[in-house]
Short mmCIF file of all heavy atoms in Angstrom, two decimals:
data_model
loop_
_atom_site.label_atom_id
_atom_site.label_comp_id
_atom_site.label_asym_id
_atom_site.label_seq_id
_atom_site.Cartn_x
_atom_site.Cartn_y
_atom_site.Cartn_z
N TRP A 369 -13.77 22.15 -8.39
CA TRP A 369 -13.23 22.48 -9.71
C TRP A 369 -14.29 23.09 -10.61
O TRP A 369 -14.09 24.17 -11.19
CB TRP A 369 -12.64 21.21 -10.33
CG TRP A 369 -12.55 21.17 -11.82
CD1 TRP A 369 -12.28 22.19 -12.68
CD2 TRP A 369 -12.75 20.01 -12.64
NE1 TRP A 369 -12.29 21.74 -13.99
CE2 TRP A 369 -12.57 20.41 -13.98
CE3 TRP A 369 -13.04 18.67 -12.36
CZ2 TRP A 369 -12.70 19.52 -15.04
CZ3 TRP A 369 -13.15 17.78 -13.42
CH2 TRP A 369 -12.98 18.21 -14.74
N LEU A 370 -15.43 22.45 -10.72
CA LEU A 370 -16.46 22.93 -11.65
C LEU A 370 -17.11 24.21 -11.15
O LEU A 370 -17.35 25.14 -11.94
CB LEU A 370 -17.50 21.83 -11.87
CG LEU A 370 -16.95 20.56 -12.53
CD1 LEU A 370 -18.01 19.48 -12.60
CD2 LEU A 370 -16.42 20.87 -13.93
N ALA A 371 -17.42 24.29 -9.86
CA ALA A 371 -17.97 25.54 -9.32
C ALA A 371 -16.97 26.68 -9.47
O ALA A 371 -17.34 27.82 -9.79
CB ALA A 371 -18.37 25.36 -7.86
N GLY A 372 -15.68 26.38 -9.27
CA GLY A 372 -14.65 27.40 -9.45
C GLY A 372 -14.42 27.76 -10.90
O GLY A 372 -13.83 28.80 -11.20
N THR A 373 -14.88 26.92 -11.82
CA THR A 373 -14.72 27.19 -13.25
C THR A 373 -15.86 28.03 -13.79
O THR A 373 -15.65 29.05 -14.44
CB THR A 373 -14.65 25.86 -14.03
OG1 THR A 373 -13.50 25.13 -13.61
CG2 THR A 373 -14.57 26.11 -15.53
N PHE A 374 -17.11 27.63 -13.51
CA PHE A 374 -18.24 28.36 -14.10
C PHE A 374 -19.10 29.06 -13.04
O PHE A 374 -20.30 29.16 -13.18
CB PHE A 374 -19.09 27.47 -15.01
CG PHE A 374 -19.54 26.14 -14.44
CD1 PHE A 374 -20.43 26.07 -13.38
CD2 PHE A 374 -19.08 24.96 -14.99
CE1 PHE A 374 -20.87 24.86 -12.88
CE2 PHE A 374 -19.50 23.73 -14.50
CZ PHE A 374 -20.40 23.68 -13.44
N TRP A 375 -18.43 29.62 -12.02
CA TRP A 375 -19.13 30.40 -11.01
C TRP A 375 -19.87 31.60 -11.61
O TRP A 375 -20.86 32.08 -11.07
CB TRP A 375 -18.14 30.91 -9.96
CG TRP A 375 -17.05 31.77 -10.54
CD1 TRP A 375 -15.82 31.37 -10.95
CD2 TRP A 375 -17.13 33.18 -10.81
NE1 TRP A 375 -15.11 32.44 -11.45
CE2 TRP A 375 -15.89 33.56 -11.39
CE3 TRP A 375 -18.11 34.16 -10.63
CZ2 TRP A 375 -15.61 34.88 -11.77
CZ3 TRP A 375 -17.84 35.46 -11.02
CH2 TRP A 375 -16.60 35.81 -11.57
N TRP A 376 -19.39 32.06 -12.78
CA TRP A 376 -19.96 33.24 -13.42
C TRP A 376 -21.39 33.01 -13.92
O TRP A 376 -22.06 33.97 -14.30
CB TRP A 376 -19.06 33.69 -14.57
CG TRP A 376 -18.37 32.59 -15.29
CD1 TRP A 376 -17.07 32.20 -15.14
CD2 TRP A 376 -18.93 31.73 -16.28
NE1 TRP A 376 -16.79 31.14 -15.97
CE2 TRP A 376 -17.90 30.83 -16.68
CE3 TRP A 376 -20.19 31.62 -16.87
CZ2 TRP A 376 -18.12 29.84 -17.65
CZ3 TRP A 376 -20.41 30.65 -17.83
CH2 TRP A 376 -19.37 29.76 -18.20
N LEU A 377 -21.85 31.77 -13.91
CA LEU A 377 -23.27 31.54 -14.22
C LEU A 377 -24.17 32.26 -13.22
O LEU A 377 -25.31 32.61 -13.54
CB LEU A 377 -23.59 30.04 -14.21
CG LEU A 377 -23.00 29.20 -15.36
CD1 LEU A 377 -23.25 27.72 -15.10
CD2 LEU A 377 -23.60 29.62 -16.69
N PHE A 378 -23.64 32.48 -12.02
CA PHE A 378 -24.39 33.23 -11.01
C PHE A 378 -24.77 34.61 -11.54
O PHE A 378 -25.89 35.09 -11.32
CB PHE A 378 -23.53 33.37 -9.75
CG PHE A 378 -24.12 34.25 -8.69
CD1 PHE A 378 -24.99 33.74 -7.74
CD2 PHE A 378 -23.83 35.62 -8.65
CE1 PHE A 378 -25.54 34.55 -6.77
CE2 PHE A 378 -24.37 36.44 -7.68
CZ PHE A 378 -25.23 35.90 -6.74
N THR A 379 -23.84 35.26 -12.26
CA THR A 379 -24.10 36.60 -12.78
C THR A 379 -25.28 36.60 -13.74
O THR A 379 -26.14 37.49 -13.69
CB THR A 379 -22.85 37.15 -13.48
OG1 THR A 379 -21.75 37.14 -12.57
CG2 THR A 379 -23.07 38.56 -13.99
N SER A 380 -25.34 35.62 -14.62
CA SER A 380 -26.43 35.58 -15.59
C SER A 380 -27.77 35.38 -14.92
O SER A 380 -28.78 35.96 -15.33
CB SER A 380 -26.18 34.47 -16.62
OG SER A 380 -26.22 33.20 -16.01
N MET A 381 -27.80 34.55 -13.89
CA MET A 381 -29.07 34.24 -13.23
C MET A 381 -29.49 35.33 -12.24
O MET A 381 -30.67 35.67 -12.15
CB MET A 381 -28.97 32.89 -12.52
CG MET A 381 -28.88 31.72 -13.48
SD MET A 381 -28.90 30.11 -12.65
CE MET A 381 -27.21 30.06 -12.05
N TYR A 382 -28.54 35.90 -11.52
CA TYR A 382 -28.87 36.91 -10.51
C TYR A 382 -28.96 38.32 -11.09
O TYR A 382 -29.97 39.00 -10.99
CB TYR A 382 -27.83 36.86 -9.39
CG TYR A 382 -27.94 38.01 -8.41
CD1 TYR A 382 -29.07 38.15 -7.59
CD2 TYR A 382 -26.93 38.96 -8.31
CE1 TYR A 382 -29.17 39.20 -6.70
CE2 TYR A 382 -27.01 40.01 -7.41
CZ TYR A 382 -28.14 40.13 -6.61
OH TYR A 382 -28.25 41.18 -5.74
N THR A 383 -27.87 38.74 -11.77
CA THR A 383 -27.82 40.13 -12.25
C THR A 383 -28.78 40.36 -13.40
O THR A 383 -29.48 41.38 -13.44
CB THR A 383 -26.39 40.47 -12.68
OG1 THR A 383 -25.49 40.24 -11.59
CG2 THR A 383 -26.29 41.93 -13.12
N TYR A 384 -28.81 39.42 -14.35
CA TYR A 384 -29.62 39.63 -15.55
C TYR A 384 -30.88 38.78 -15.60
O TYR A 384 -31.83 39.14 -16.28
CB TYR A 384 -28.76 39.35 -16.79
CG TYR A 384 -27.53 40.21 -16.85
CD1 TYR A 384 -26.26 39.66 -16.83
CD2 TYR A 384 -27.64 41.60 -16.89
CE1 TYR A 384 -25.12 40.46 -16.88
CE2 TYR A 384 -26.52 42.40 -16.92
CZ TYR A 384 -25.27 41.83 -16.91
OH TYR A 384 -24.16 42.63 -16.95
N GLY A 385 -30.88 37.64 -14.91
CA GLY A 385 -32.06 36.78 -14.91
C GLY A 385 -33.04 37.09 -13.81
O GLY A 385 -34.18 36.63 -13.84
N GLY A 386 -32.61 37.85 -12.79
CA GLY A 386 -33.52 38.26 -11.74
C GLY A 386 -33.77 37.23 -10.66
O GLY A 386 -34.65 37.43 -9.81
N LEU A 387 -33.01 36.13 -10.63
CA LEU A 387 -33.18 35.16 -9.55
C LEU A 387 -32.65 35.72 -8.24
O LEU A 387 -31.65 36.45 -8.24
CB LEU A 387 -32.42 33.87 -9.88
CG LEU A 387 -33.05 32.86 -10.83
CD1 LEU A 387 -32.16 31.63 -10.92
CD2 LEU A 387 -34.44 32.47 -10.37
N PRO A 388 -33.27 35.41 -7.12
CA PRO A 388 -32.68 35.79 -5.83
C PRO A 388 -31.27 35.20 -5.70
O PRO A 388 -31.01 34.09 -6.15
CB PRO A 388 -33.65 35.18 -4.81
CG PRO A 388 -34.94 35.03 -5.55
CD PRO A 388 -34.57 34.74 -6.97
N ALA A 389 -30.39 35.95 -5.06
CA ALA A 389 -29.00 35.53 -4.96
C ALA A 389 -28.84 34.13 -4.35
O ALA A 389 -28.06 33.32 -4.87
CB ALA A 389 -28.19 36.56 -4.17
N PRO A 390 -29.53 33.80 -3.26
CA PRO A 390 -29.36 32.45 -2.70
C PRO A 390 -29.75 31.36 -3.69
O PRO A 390 -29.08 30.33 -3.79
CB PRO A 390 -30.28 32.45 -1.48
CG PRO A 390 -30.41 33.88 -1.11
CD PRO A 390 -30.41 34.63 -2.40
N LEU A 391 -30.84 31.58 -4.44
CA LEU A 391 -31.27 30.57 -5.40
C LEU A 391 -30.29 30.46 -6.57
O LEU A 391 -29.99 29.35 -7.03
CB LEU A 391 -32.68 30.90 -5.91
CG LEU A 391 -33.32 29.87 -6.85
CD1 LEU A 391 -33.39 28.51 -6.19
CD2 LEU A 391 -34.72 30.33 -7.26
N ALA A 392 -29.77 31.60 -7.02
CA ALA A 392 -28.79 31.56 -8.11
C ALA A 392 -27.52 30.86 -7.68
O ALA A 392 -26.96 30.04 -8.42
CB ALA A 392 -28.48 32.99 -8.57
N GLY A 393 -27.03 31.16 -6.48
CA GLY A 393 -25.83 30.49 -5.97
C GLY A 393 -26.06 29.00 -5.79
O GLY A 393 -25.19 28.18 -6.12
N LEU A 394 -27.23 28.65 -5.28
CA LEU A 394 -27.54 27.23 -5.10
C LEU A 394 -27.63 26.51 -6.44
O LEU A 394 -27.20 25.35 -6.57
CB LEU A 394 -28.87 27.10 -4.34
CG LEU A 394 -29.31 25.67 -4.01
CD1 LEU A 394 -28.29 25.01 -3.09
CD2 LEU A 394 -30.69 25.68 -3.34
N ALA A 395 -28.15 27.19 -7.47
CA ALA A 395 -28.25 26.58 -8.78
C ALA A 395 -26.87 26.27 -9.36
O ALA A 395 -26.65 25.20 -9.94
CB ALA A 395 -29.04 27.49 -9.73
N VAL A 396 -25.93 27.20 -9.21
CA VAL A 396 -24.56 26.95 -9.70
C VAL A 396 -23.93 25.79 -8.96
O VAL A 396 -23.32 24.89 -9.56
CB VAL A 396 -23.70 28.22 -9.56
CG1 VAL A 396 -22.25 27.92 -9.94
CG2 VAL A 396 -24.25 29.34 -10.43
N LEU A 397 -24.07 25.79 -7.64
CA LEU A 397 -23.48 24.72 -6.84
C LEU A 397 -24.13 23.38 -7.16
O LEU A 397 -23.45 22.35 -7.24
CB LEU A 397 -23.63 25.04 -5.35
CG LEU A 397 -22.96 24.07 -4.38
CD1 LEU A 397 -21.45 24.02 -4.63
CD2 LEU A 397 -23.25 24.48 -2.94
N ALA A 398 -25.46 23.38 -7.37
CA ALA A 398 -26.16 22.14 -7.69
C ALA A 398 -25.70 21.58 -9.03
O ALA A 398 -25.52 20.36 -9.18
CB ALA A 398 -27.66 22.37 -7.70
N LEU A 399 -25.50 22.46 -10.02
CA LEU A 399 -25.02 22.00 -11.32
C LEU A 399 -23.62 21.39 -11.18
O LEU A 399 -23.34 20.31 -11.72
CB LEU A 399 -24.99 23.16 -12.32
CG LEU A 399 -24.41 22.84 -13.70
CD1 LEU A 399 -25.22 21.76 -14.40
CD2 LEU A 399 -24.34 24.11 -14.56
N ALA A 400 -22.74 22.08 -10.46
CA ALA A 400 -21.39 21.56 -10.26
C ALA A 400 -21.42 20.23 -9.52
O ALA A 400 -20.71 19.27 -9.89
CB ALA A 400 -20.54 22.57 -9.50
N ALA A 401 -22.24 20.14 -8.48
CA ALA A 401 -22.32 18.90 -7.70
C ALA A 401 -22.87 17.75 -8.52
O ALA A 401 -22.42 16.60 -8.38
CB ALA A 401 -23.17 19.13 -6.45
N PHE A 402 -23.84 18.04 -9.38
CA PHE A 402 -24.40 16.98 -10.23
C PHE A 402 -23.37 16.48 -11.23
O PHE A 402 -23.16 15.27 -11.37
CB PHE A 402 -25.64 17.50 -10.96
CG PHE A 402 -26.14 16.55 -12.01
CD1 PHE A 402 -26.79 15.39 -11.65
CD2 PHE A 402 -25.95 16.82 -13.36
CE1 PHE A 402 -27.24 14.49 -12.62
CE2 PHE A 402 -26.40 15.94 -14.34
CZ PHE A 402 -27.04 14.77 -13.96
N LEU A 403 -22.71 17.39 -11.93
CA LEU A 403 -21.70 16.98 -12.90
C LEU A 403 -20.51 16.30 -12.23
O LEU A 403 -19.85 15.45 -12.83
CB LEU A 403 -21.23 18.19 -13.70
CG LEU A 403 -22.29 18.86 -14.59
CD1 LEU A 403 -21.74 20.11 -15.24
CD2 LEU A 403 -22.81 17.89 -15.65
N ALA A 404 -20.24 16.67 -10.97
CA ALA A 404 -19.12 16.07 -10.24
C ALA A 404 -19.36 14.60 -9.93
O ALA A 404 -18.41 13.87 -9.63
CB ALA A 404 -18.87 16.84 -8.95
N LEU A 405 -20.62 14.15 -10.01
CA LEU A 405 -20.90 12.74 -9.75
C LEU A 405 -20.14 11.83 -10.69
O LEU A 405 -19.72 10.73 -10.31
CB LEU A 405 -22.40 12.49 -9.86
CG LEU A 405 -23.29 13.13 -8.79
CD1 LEU A 405 -24.76 12.92 -9.13
CD2 LEU A 405 -22.96 12.55 -7.41
N PHE A 406 -19.96 12.26 -11.95
CA PHE A 406 -19.20 11.45 -12.90
C PHE A 406 -17.79 11.17 -12.37
O PHE A 406 -17.28 10.05 -12.46
CB PHE A 406 -19.10 12.15 -14.25
CG PHE A 406 -20.42 12.31 -14.96
CD1 PHE A 406 -20.91 13.57 -15.28
CD2 PHE A 406 -21.17 11.21 -15.32
CE1 PHE A 406 -22.11 13.72 -15.95
CE2 PHE A 406 -22.37 11.34 -16.00
CZ PHE A 406 -22.84 12.60 -16.31
N TYR A 407 -17.16 12.19 -11.82
CA TYR A 407 -15.79 12.06 -11.35
C TYR A 407 -15.72 11.31 -10.03
O TYR A 407 -14.74 10.60 -9.76
CB TYR A 407 -15.14 13.43 -11.24
CG TYR A 407 -15.16 14.17 -12.57
CD1 TYR A 407 -16.21 15.01 -12.90
CD2 TYR A 407 -14.16 13.98 -13.51
CE1 TYR A 407 -16.26 15.66 -14.13
CE2 TYR A 407 -14.19 14.62 -14.73
CZ TYR A 407 -15.25 15.45 -15.03
OH TYR A 407 -15.30 16.09 -16.26
N GLY A 408 -16.76 11.45 -9.21
CA GLY A 408 -16.82 10.65 -8.00
C GLY A 408 -16.88 9.16 -8.31
O GLY A 408 -16.18 8.35 -7.69
N VAL A 409 -17.69 8.81 -9.29
CA VAL A 409 -17.81 7.41 -9.68
C VAL A 409 -16.47 6.86 -10.16
O VAL A 409 -16.04 5.77 -9.77
CB VAL A 409 -18.89 7.24 -10.77
CG1 VAL A 409 -18.84 5.85 -11.38
CG2 VAL A 409 -20.27 7.51 -10.19
N VAL A 410 -15.78 7.63 -11.02
CA VAL A 410 -14.53 7.09 -11.57
C VAL A 410 -13.43 7.00 -10.51
O VAL A 410 -12.59 6.09 -10.57
CB VAL A 410 -14.05 7.90 -12.80
CG1 VAL A 410 -15.11 7.92 -13.88
CG2 VAL A 410 -13.63 9.29 -12.42
N CYS A 411 -13.43 7.90 -9.53
CA CYS A 411 -12.43 7.78 -8.47
C CYS A 411 -12.71 6.55 -7.61
O CYS A 411 -11.76 5.87 -7.17
CB CYS A 411 -12.41 9.05 -7.62
SG CYS A 411 -11.63 10.46 -8.44
N GLY A 412 -13.98 6.27 -7.35
CA GLY A 412 -14.31 5.06 -6.64
C GLY A 412 -13.91 3.82 -7.41
O GLY A 412 -13.36 2.85 -6.85
N LEU A 413 -14.16 3.82 -8.71
CA LEU A 413 -13.76 2.69 -9.54
C LEU A 413 -12.24 2.54 -9.59
O LEU A 413 -11.71 1.42 -9.58
CB LEU A 413 -14.32 2.86 -10.95
CG LEU A 413 -15.82 2.66 -11.13
CD1 LEU A 413 -16.26 3.03 -12.53
CD2 LEU A 413 -16.19 1.20 -10.83
N PHE A 414 -11.54 3.66 -9.65
CA PHE A 414 -10.08 3.58 -9.67
C PHE A 414 -9.55 2.93 -8.40
O PHE A 414 -8.64 2.10 -8.45
CB PHE A 414 -9.50 4.98 -9.84
CG PHE A 414 -7.99 5.02 -9.81
CD1 PHE A 414 -7.25 4.41 -10.80
CD2 PHE A 414 -7.32 5.66 -8.78
CE1 PHE A 414 -5.86 4.43 -10.78
CE2 PHE A 414 -5.93 5.70 -8.74
CZ PHE A 414 -5.20 5.08 -9.75
N LYS A 415 -10.11 3.29 -7.26
CA LYS A 415 -9.69 2.68 -6.00
C LYS A 415 -9.94 1.18 -6.01
O LYS A 415 -9.12 0.40 -5.49
CB LYS A 415 -10.44 3.33 -4.84
CG LYS A 415 -10.02 2.85 -3.47
CD LYS A 415 -8.63 3.33 -3.11
CE LYS A 415 -8.25 2.95 -1.69
NZ LYS A 415 -6.89 3.43 -1.36
N ALA A 416 -11.03 0.78 -6.64
CA ALA A 416 -11.39 -0.64 -6.64
C ALA A 416 -10.66 -1.44 -7.70
O ALA A 416 -10.40 -2.63 -7.50
CB ALA A 416 -12.90 -0.78 -6.84
N LEU A 417 -10.34 -0.83 -8.84
CA LEU A 417 -9.84 -1.58 -9.99
C LEU A 417 -8.36 -1.39 -10.28
O LEU A 417 -7.80 -2.15 -11.07
CB LEU A 417 -10.63 -1.19 -11.25
CG LEU A 417 -12.13 -1.40 -11.24
CD1 LEU A 417 -12.72 -0.94 -12.57
CD2 LEU A 417 -12.46 -2.86 -10.99
N ALA A 418 -7.72 -0.39 -9.70
CA ALA A 418 -6.37 -0.03 -10.12
C ALA A 418 -5.40 -1.20 -9.98
O ALA A 418 -5.34 -1.85 -8.94
CB ALA A 418 -5.86 1.15 -9.30
N PRO A 419 -4.62 -1.50 -11.03
CA PRO A 419 -3.62 -2.56 -10.95
C PRO A 419 -2.49 -2.17 -9.99
O PRO A 419 -2.39 -1.03 -9.54
CB PRO A 419 -3.10 -2.66 -12.39
CG PRO A 419 -4.06 -1.90 -13.24
CD PRO A 419 -4.68 -0.87 -12.36
N VAL A 420 -1.61 -3.13 -9.72
CA VAL A 420 -0.47 -2.87 -8.84
C VAL A 420 0.62 -2.13 -9.60
O VAL A 420 1.26 -1.23 -9.05
CB VAL A 420 0.06 -4.20 -8.26
CG1 VAL A 420 1.34 -3.95 -7.48
CG2 VAL A 420 -0.99 -4.85 -7.39
N HIS A 421 0.84 -2.49 -10.86
CA HIS A 421 1.94 -1.90 -11.63
C HIS A 421 1.68 -0.43 -11.90
O HIS A 421 0.56 -0.03 -12.25
CB HIS A 421 2.13 -2.66 -12.94
CG HIS A 421 3.41 -2.33 -13.63
ND1 HIS A 421 3.53 -1.27 -14.51
CD2 HIS A 421 4.64 -2.91 -13.57
CE1 HIS A 421 4.77 -1.21 -14.97
NE2 HIS A 421 5.47 -2.20 -14.42
N TRP A 422 2.71 0.40 -11.78
CA TRP A 422 2.55 1.85 -11.91
C TRP A 422 2.05 2.27 -13.29
O TRP A 422 1.23 3.19 -13.40
CB TRP A 422 3.85 2.56 -11.58
CG TRP A 422 5.03 2.14 -12.42
CD1 TRP A 422 5.90 1.12 -12.16
CD2 TRP A 422 5.47 2.73 -13.65
NE1 TRP A 422 6.85 1.03 -13.14
CE2 TRP A 422 6.62 2.01 -14.08
CE3 TRP A 422 5.02 3.79 -14.43
CZ2 TRP A 422 7.29 2.31 -15.25
CZ3 TRP A 422 5.70 4.11 -15.60
CH2 TRP A 422 6.82 3.37 -16.00
N ALA A 423 2.51 1.61 -14.36
CA ALA A 423 2.06 1.97 -15.70
C ALA A 423 0.60 1.61 -15.91
O ALA A 423 -0.18 2.38 -16.48
CB ALA A 423 2.94 1.29 -16.75
N GLY A 424 0.22 0.43 -15.41
CA GLY A 424 -1.18 0.03 -15.53
C GLY A 424 -2.10 0.96 -14.76
O GLY A 424 -3.20 1.29 -15.23
N ARG A 425 -1.68 1.40 -13.58
CA ARG A 425 -2.49 2.34 -12.80
C ARG A 425 -2.70 3.64 -13.56
O ARG A 425 -3.81 4.20 -13.57
CB ARG A 425 -1.80 2.63 -11.46
CG ARG A 425 -1.82 1.48 -10.49
CD ARG A 425 -0.88 1.73 -9.32
NE ARG A 425 -1.16 3.00 -8.67
CZ ARG A 425 -2.13 3.19 -7.78
NH1 ARG A 425 -2.91 2.18 -7.44
NH2 ARG A 425 -2.30 4.36 -7.22
N ALA A 426 -1.66 4.13 -14.20
CA ALA A 426 -1.78 5.38 -14.94
C ALA A 426 -2.76 5.23 -16.10
O ALA A 426 -3.59 6.12 -16.36
CB ALA A 426 -0.41 5.81 -15.46
N ILE A 427 -2.68 4.11 -16.81
CA ILE A 427 -3.57 3.89 -17.95
C ILE A 427 -5.01 3.76 -17.49
O ILE A 427 -5.94 4.31 -18.11
CB ILE A 427 -3.12 2.65 -18.74
CG1 ILE A 427 -1.76 2.91 -19.39
CG2 ILE A 427 -4.15 2.28 -19.80
CD1 ILE A 427 -1.13 1.68 -20.01
N VAL A 428 -5.23 3.05 -16.40
CA VAL A 428 -6.60 2.86 -15.89
C VAL A 428 -7.18 4.19 -15.43
O VAL A 428 -8.34 4.52 -15.72
CB VAL A 428 -6.62 1.82 -14.76
CG1 VAL A 428 -7.98 1.80 -14.07
CG2 VAL A 428 -6.30 0.44 -15.33
N PHE A 429 -6.39 4.97 -14.69
CA PHE A 429 -6.92 6.27 -14.25
C PHE A 429 -7.23 7.16 -15.43
O PHE A 429 -8.27 7.84 -15.46
CB PHE A 429 -5.93 6.97 -13.31
CG PHE A 429 -6.43 8.30 -12.81
CD1 PHE A 429 -7.41 8.35 -11.84
CD2 PHE A 429 -5.94 9.49 -13.33
CE1 PHE A 429 -7.91 9.57 -11.38
CE2 PHE A 429 -6.42 10.71 -12.88
CZ PHE A 429 -7.40 10.76 -11.91
N ALA A 430 -6.34 7.17 -16.44
CA ALA A 430 -6.57 7.99 -17.63
C ALA A 430 -7.86 7.57 -18.33
O ALA A 430 -8.64 8.42 -18.78
CB ALA A 430 -5.39 7.89 -18.57
N ALA A 431 -8.10 6.27 -18.44
CA ALA A 431 -9.30 5.79 -19.11
C ALA A 431 -10.56 6.16 -18.34
O ALA A 431 -11.57 6.59 -18.92
CB ALA A 431 -9.22 4.28 -19.30
N LEU A 432 -10.52 6.01 -17.02
CA LEU A 432 -11.67 6.37 -16.20
C LEU A 432 -11.94 7.87 -16.27
O LEU A 432 -13.09 8.31 -16.37
CB LEU A 432 -11.43 5.94 -14.76
CG LEU A 432 -11.50 4.43 -14.49
CD1 LEU A 432 -10.92 4.09 -13.13
CD2 LEU A 432 -12.96 3.95 -14.59
N TRP A 433 -10.87 8.67 -16.22
CA TRP A 433 -11.03 10.13 -16.33
C TRP A 433 -11.65 10.49 -17.68
O TRP A 433 -12.54 11.35 -17.76
CB TRP A 433 -9.68 10.81 -16.16
CG TRP A 433 -9.76 12.30 -16.18
CD1 TRP A 433 -9.61 13.11 -17.26
CD2 TRP A 433 -10.05 13.15 -15.07
NE1 TRP A 433 -9.76 14.43 -16.90
CE2 TRP A 433 -10.04 14.48 -15.56
CE3 TRP A 433 -10.29 12.92 -13.72
CZ2 TRP A 433 -10.27 15.57 -14.74
CZ3 TRP A 433 -10.52 14.02 -12.89
CH2 TRP A 433 -10.52 15.32 -13.41
N LEU A 434 -11.19 9.84 -18.74
CA LEU A 434 -11.73 10.10 -20.07
C LEU A 434 -13.22 9.77 -20.12
O LEU A 434 -14.01 10.54 -20.70
CB LEU A 434 -10.98 9.27 -21.11
CG LEU A 434 -11.49 9.33 -22.56
CD1 LEU A 434 -11.50 10.76 -23.08
CD2 LEU A 434 -10.64 8.44 -23.45
#
Side-chain angles (χ1 to χ4, degrees):
W369 156 36
L370 297 174
T373 298
F374 50 66
W375 59 266
W376 34 259
L377 290 173
F378 174 88
T379 303
S380 65
M381 291 184 282
Y382 170 65
T383 304
Y384 302 119
L387 279 184
L391 185 57
L394 183 62
V396 174
L397 185 60
L399 176 61
F402 171 73
L403 296 175
L405 292 174
F406 294 120
Y407 302 91
V409 169
V410 302
C411 286
L413 287 173
F414 177 65
K415 184 70 175 180
L417 301 179
V420 174
H421 193 273
W422 57 271
R425 289 168 54 81
I427 294 171
V428 170
F429 181 74
L432 288 166
W433 183 267
L434 175 58

